[in-house]
Every structure is written in C-alpha cells, then in structure tokens.
Amino acid sequence: MTAGGSHLGTSESQPAAPVKASAPATGRAYLAIIEGFVGALMMFAGSIGTGWIANGSPMIRQPVVIALRTEGWGVTVSTVLLTVGAMVLMRSWLRLGQRLAEWGKSSLRSVVIAISAWSLPLLFCVPVFSRDVYAYTGQGRLVQEGQNPYEVGISTLSNWFALGADPAWAENRTPYGPYFLWLARGVVGLTGAQPDVSVLLFRLLAGVGVLLCVIYVPKLAELHGINGARALWIAVANPLFLISFIASAHNDALMVGLAVAGVYFAATRRYIVGILLVTASIGIKPITVLLLPFLGVMWAGPSATWTRKFLMWGATAGLSFGVLLLSGIPYNLGIGWTWAIMDPTPGYTGYSPSGFLGQQVEMLANALGLPGGTLATWLRTGMKWGAIALVLLLMFRGDYSRAVRRMALAFTAVVMLSPIIQPWYILWFLPFLAVTGIRDDWQIRSLYVGVTFFVVFGAQDQLSVWSFVELPIDASTLAFFTALAFTFYLLFLDVHTRKLLIQGKPWDLARRGWQWLMAQRERAVSR
C-alpha cells in the first residue's frame, strides 16, 4: 500500500484521461512548443540590454552589449523584447494545455519537450527578474574565506560590489541551508568567483531541481489518480517556473526538486529515503521543514494510534535534524540556518493577501482616528499565526489517504498568509497541489491569474537600466504597459486564450453581468 496512492485518492482526484493512440491536438503541440521557444529567444535577446550584469563581468565591455545598455534605442528594444518574450511564453503555455486537452499517452512527451525547448534559451540569459544568483557567489566566497554567512553579510568581502549582488545583501545574513553553502563554495572554487561562469553553474544546479520535478511530478501525480502530463504542465512548464528557476537561477528550484522527490519516495513506503531527500531540501532552504510532520504521518501508516504517530513524528524529526546537526560541522556553520525559520524577514509586500489587507485596515483605521499601523500589524501577525494553526490542524486531522494533499494545503497556507511573498514563492507549493489535483474551474483560472500577475510584475520590477541613459519613456513603465497590453490581448482579443481566462465572449459576459444586476435590483424593489 502506498501513502496517498490512487487507490486511496484525494478530494481532487480525477480519473486519468482516456489514452488514445493519437490525438489531433497532441500532434499540433509542436506549434505551441515552437512559439514558446521563440518567446524564450526573445527573452534571451532582451536580457542582454536589461538583465543584471555584474560590474566585474567582461561582457559589460563588449560593443554590442555597450550599445544595448547605453543607447536609448538599445534599452527600449531590449525592454520590449524581454517583456513580449515573457508574455509569448505565457501564451504558449496556455495554448500547449489547450492542444493537449485530451492528455493522451503521448502528452507527457510533448510537455517534456516543451520544458526542454523553452529552458534552453533561458539557460544562457543574463539574469532577469532577480539578481539573487550573484549573492550566492558572495556567500560561497564567505565560506571559502573561512567566514560564516550566518553571522556576516557579503560586505566583509573585498570588492564585493563587483560580484553583481543587490546592496540589500551587503549586511544580511544568508537564509539558506548548509548544503547550499557547500555548493556555493564549490562553485566559487571552480570559477574563482568569475560572475558569468558562476551564474551558469548555479543555473545548472537549479536545472537539477527542475529535472527532479520533471521526473517525480508525473510519478507522484499518478499515485493520486491525476494525469501526470497535466500535473507536469501545471507545475513545471508554466513560464513563472521556468523564468524563476532557469533564467533567474533561484536555488529554490533545487529545494523544490528534492522535496518532490522525497515526498514521492515517502508515498511509496521508502520512508527513510524520503526523509533524507526532504532533509537535503531543508539543507538548501529551510522552509521545507514543514513537510516533515506529514512524512511522519505517512510513516505511521493508515491505522496508526496516536502513540505511533507521535513516535513516528519524533523519529522523523530526530533523523532529519540529526543529519542537519552533523552537516553544520564542516566549515563551522553550526545550526545557523535555524535563524531563517525563527527570525523571518520583517516587513510585508503589498500584493500578498496579508500585506494588502493590512494596508486597507491601516488606511480605514487612520481615517477613523484609530491607530492604523498597530491594527495592521496585529492583522498580519494574526494571519501568520493562523497559518501555523492550519498546519497543526492538517497535521492532526484528516484522512491518511490525503496526506500529500494536506501537506500541499499546509504549505499553501504558510506561503499565502505570510506578510512577504516573492513571485517564485508560489512555486514552492504548486507541484504538490498539481499532483493531488487542480480542477478545470476556478482553481486553474486562479493559477492563470497568479502566474500572469507575477510574470507581468517581474517584467517591470527587475530591470537593470543605468541612470544616465536617456529614454523617451521609463523602461519599467514601458515594460508594464507592454505586458498589460499583451494581457488585454490574451483576455479579450485572442480567440483561443480568452476561452480559458473568461467564460464566453466578452460582450456576452457583460450582458450576463448586466442581467444579474437588474435581477438583483428587481428583488430589492420587490422586498
């Protein structure tokens, strides 16, 4: 018996799509794949003029690069290419899902080819949407020079600014686990901290995480009676995943890949291997520590008493934390990684539910003469503790057959109720939701909205443009309105994608909305 297997099911389980020898839609998948490849190539070209290049990179002295980054026309063209490329990739993902709607036996191959084709140009991009990858090089240098990244920031390094890292990392301690610091030190040892080669190696490490997801997302989905190709399309082929984990080279890719692999092994009763893989994930980035209690639930078994559950929780924690404790001995890293859990980053992002609601409460309270800032802080703190309460509830309550689904919901709660959400944070829990079922209704449309929002947000939020460059329109503004125009096209003008994003023709939608309003008015009058 497997933990969370298809014979047990989940609340979102769906029968696997009927297998067909050949489906016309599957045969046309290559059209979406080619379109996405073109979009990724556009992103590659645009990244040269607006991506993040380290000051110490020799690329910055190349004539073509100089022209694209110092001339107004070069920055403008690069901005448009990067933004339109990202939105073309978005459309390609949507169209691939439409063309593979039958989800027959060849659909998994098509999704894997799409992921490979779309990733290839992004592998050689100048870092876009984030420059955290340059901070990884700095943290690797800290370890190499005998300093502890859990105690000091990269500003202690000589010539640290030439590495290309955001100045925000100057004094910040690293939030990453010991295994990632080992890897970062290895990269620096191989490259001598040369920024461009270091970025490529960190991308390859992220690619290992993507590969693990490609292998184990379909397998884990099949255990839950969910079509593996569809789950892979949702979780890995989406543009936010590929841009964040390939183009931006976030180490979260390796964290997620190890976590998915670990959950798969635990779900197939290889509990020790599963726990060790999740422990490796924690050693990359500690947030996946919240998966451990659910692995303990799987290990305890479907008919476990409370005594056995507590024993298995203790065994799971003891094994994982014991390994991590020993892992702190090399380079004298200790257990410094625990600060990332115990002392989270202060502040909030305005687009997180917690941050947005807090802003509204603060504004309303201030208008009423109440202490708005205090009330907003209480709300955000309450939502954060509410997430912890949900994790505990899902740990202690629920069917054994839904252990992975409960884990997915707990992970989702922790991320979505946190005051700070970065665009790639939703990718932490998305694979676990995908393998346990995302329905073709408001659930998948919510995903479309979230992915589109964060792709648009990233396109205009993280552009590297020198202040002396004269532009007819600010690059971020140009990127924002370009992405907004493309989003409008997807919603209302594209005869294919608008079927996914809104139900019915736009004018029919408006007419039904007007009829509903009139009906509500008539009911109000009749009362």
Side-chain angles (χ1 to χ4, degrees):
M1 178 181 289
T2 59
S6 59
H7 62 289
L8 297 172
T10 70
S11 63
E12 308 300 327
S13 290
Q14 307 162 4
V19 175
K20 297 188 176 183
S22 63
T26 302
R28 295 196 303 271
Y30 74 92
L31 295 174
I33 294 172
I34 292 172
E35 179 187 15
F37 181 71
V38 171
L41 281 176
M42 293 173 70
M43 290 194 68
F44 163 75
S47 73
I48 298 172
T50 55
W52 294 99
I53 299 181
N55 292 335
S57 169
M59 283 181 60
I60 215 162
R61 296 188 291 275
Q62 299 300 315
V64 173
V65 176
I66 291 172
L68 290 174
R69 299 184 76 88
T70 62
E71 300 289 341
W73 67 265
V75 174
T76 299
V77 170
S78 297
T79 300
V80 172
L81 282 173
L82 182 68
T83 307
V84 173
M87 297 308 294
V88 168
L89 200 55
M90 182 74 199
R91 183 183 186 274
S92 305
W93 175 59
L94 296 173
R95 291 294 289 136
L96 181 65
Q98 283 182 315
R99 293 183 182 279
L100 297 177
E102 298 288 343
W103 297 112
K105 65 178 182 180
S106 62
S107 57
L108 180 60
R109 179 174 178 271
S110 296
V111 176
V112 172
I113 291 173
I115 293 169
S116 303
W118 300 347
S119 298
L120 185 60
L122 300 180
L123 187 65
F124 300 100
C125 273
V126 174
V128 294
F129 289 28
S130 171
R131 49 175 161 164
D132 285 356
V133 65
Y134 291 118
Y136 304 162
T137 303
Q139 290 155 6
R141 273 189 61 191
L142 285 174
V143 178
Q144 186 182 48
E145 295 181 13
Q147 301 187 68
N148 191 334
Y150 297 125
E151 297 175 355
V152 298
I154 61 175
S155 63
T156 62
L157 298 169
S158 60
N159 203 28
W160 69 271
F161 194 71
L163 296 174
D166 190 321
W169 284 102
E171 304 297 331
N172 284 357
R173 298 176 290 168
T174 181
Y176 308 131
Y179 301 150
F180 183 71
L181 294 179
W182 295 2
L183 292 172
R185 184 191 184 282
V187 167
V188 169
L190 289 172
T191 66
Q194 202 284 334
D196 302 324
V197 183
S198 297
V199 166
L200 180 60
L201 290 187
F202 281 119
R203 277 212 179 105
L204 293 177
L205 288 175
V208 172
V210 174
L211 180 61
L212 287 172
C213 288
V214 169
I215 294 171
Y216 290 106
V217 162
K219 291 175 179 290
L220 192 54
E222 295 294 343
L223 289 181
H224 293 84
I226 303 299
N227 186 283
R230 183 176 182 273
L232 188 64
W233 168 73
I234 289 173
V236 180
N238 81 74
L240 183 63
F241 187 100
L242 297 178
I243 293 171
S244 299
F245 288 171
I246 302 295
S248 300
H250 282 294
N251 59 4
D252 307 60
L254 190 54
M255 175 196 79
V256 172
L258 289 167
V260 170
V263 171
Y264 170 76
F265 278 97
T268 51
R269 302 187 66 183
R270 288 168 283 184
Y271 305 113
I272 302 298
V273 176
I275 292 168
L276 291 176
L277 283 169
V278 171
T279 300
S281 173
I282 297 168
I284 301 298
K285 204 165 184 178
I287 185 64
T288 47
V289 70
L290 69 86
L291 304 186
L292 291 178
F294 299 94
L295 267 61
V297 168
M298 296 181 200
W299 197 0
S303 304
T305 62
W306 283 110
T307 300
R308 177 171 172 77
K309 286 181 181 179
F310 276 100
L311 285 174
M312 291 301 100
W313 279 329
T316 301
L319 175 59
S320 181
F321 293 152
V323 170
L324 288 168
L325 185 64
L326 293 174
S327 302
I329 296 175
Y331 311 119
N332 298 313
L333 296 174
I335 57 171
W337 59 271
T338 57
W339 85 266
I341 301 173
M342 306 303 295
D343 184 24
T345 305
Y348 65 89
T349 49
Y351 52 78
S352 69
S354 172
F356 177 78
L357 290 175
Q359 287 177 326
Q360 308 315 304
V361 167
E362 182 173 4
M363 183 173 61
L364 179 60
N366 286 338
L368 297 173
L370 299 173
T374 300
L375 292 175
T377 300
W378 287 352
L379 174 65
R380 287 190 285 267
T381 302
M383 292 179 71
K384 184 166 61 176
W385 282 103
I388 295 173
L390 283 171
V391 172
L392 293 173
L393 178 64
L394 290 164
M395 274 177 57
F396 286 97
R397 300 294 299 272
D399 295 337
Y400 173 81
S401 63
R402 301 185 66 224
V404 177
R405 185 67 176 188
R406 288 155 58 191
M407 173 193 297
L409 294 175
F411 212 166
T412 303
V414 168
V415 173
M416 296 305 295
L417 296 179
S418 171
I420 295 179
I421 299 178
Q422 298 291 357
W424 56 94
Y425 286 10
I426 68 172
L427 303 173
W428 296 351
F429 59 80
L430 181 58
F432 299 109
L433 289 179
V435 301
T436 54
I438 293 178
R439 297 194 305 265
D440 278 318
D441 52 18
W442 65 268
Q443 293 184 354
I444 193 68
R445 284 195 292 277
S446 297
L447 176 64
Y448 295 153
V449 170
V451 170
T452 303
F453 171 80
F454 283 122
V455 169
V456 171
F457 177 82
Q460 57 83 39
D461 180 61
Q462 289 280 342
L463 296 175
S464 175
V465 179
W466 285 320
S467 58
F468 63 81
V469 179
E470 296 184 3
L471 298 171
I473 180 173
D474 177 70
S476 292
T477 303
L478 175 62
F480 175 72
F481 282 107
T482 301
L484 204 61
F486 205 111
T487 302
F488 181 86
Y489 167 75
L490 294 176
L491 278 170
F492 299 110
L493 302 180
D494 190 313
V495 295
H496 301 293
T497 58
R498 74 186 186 194
K499 297 175 185 177
L500 294 173
L501 303 174
I502 58 176
Q503 296 299 304
K505 297 178 180 179
W507 48 87
D508 289 339
L509 193 67
R511 177 174 53 80
R512 288 198 298 269
W514 176 259
Q515 290 173 344
W516 182 83
L517 285 173
M518 290 299 99
Q520 298 304 310
R521 182 177 180 276
E522 289 175 5
R523 285 185 189 139
V525 170
S526 64
R527 290 173 186 167

